[in-house]
Amino acid sequence: MWPTGEADPGPAVRAATTAAARQDRAALFVACNIPHRDCGRYSAGGAADAEAYRRWIGQVADALAGSRALVVLESDAIAPSPTVAHPARTARSAPS
């Protein structure tokens, strides 16, 4: 499943982990909502800012609590980082 910025990703994430658990499997997620995602290219978008992202990824984490899951975290975030404008790059890499 690719959570990509839903207002509340929790219900969809919980539904996926519940379905996987019924089959004795782990759910697989690719979190994709980093601000300035893909530098405005094909998968452009993402959270409005770092605070919105922290809120969203926290909702994903809360929904995963107690489940078996694998998460690929922001697969589009690292490679394009040098092309992101300086203030946005700082927000993307700043510790929370």
Side-chain angles (χ1 to χ4, degrees):
M1 176 183 181
W2 286 67
T4 59
E6 301 83 353
D8 181 3
V13 169
R14 282 188 290 279
T17 57
T18 298
R22 279 192 216 115
Q23 296 180 17
D24 196 29
R25 296 176 181 243
L28 173 62
F29 298 91
V30 179
C32 195
N33 195 31
I34 194 89
H36 312 287
R37 181 175 65 223
D38 197 26
C39 302
R41 293 189 178 102
Y42 298 109
S43 61
D49 56 32
E51 183 57 36
Y53 180 77
R54 281 191 283 275
R55 205 170 28 257
W56 179 83
I57 200 67
Q59 291 173 319
V60 171
D62 290 347
L64 290 171
S67 65
R68 287 179 41 208
L70 300 158
V71 180
V72 177
L73 187 59
E74 302 300 341
S75 58
D76 288 341
I78 302 302
S81 286
T83 63
V84 175
H86 181 272
R89 186 173 51 244
T90 302
R92 287 173 67 161
S93 60
S96 57

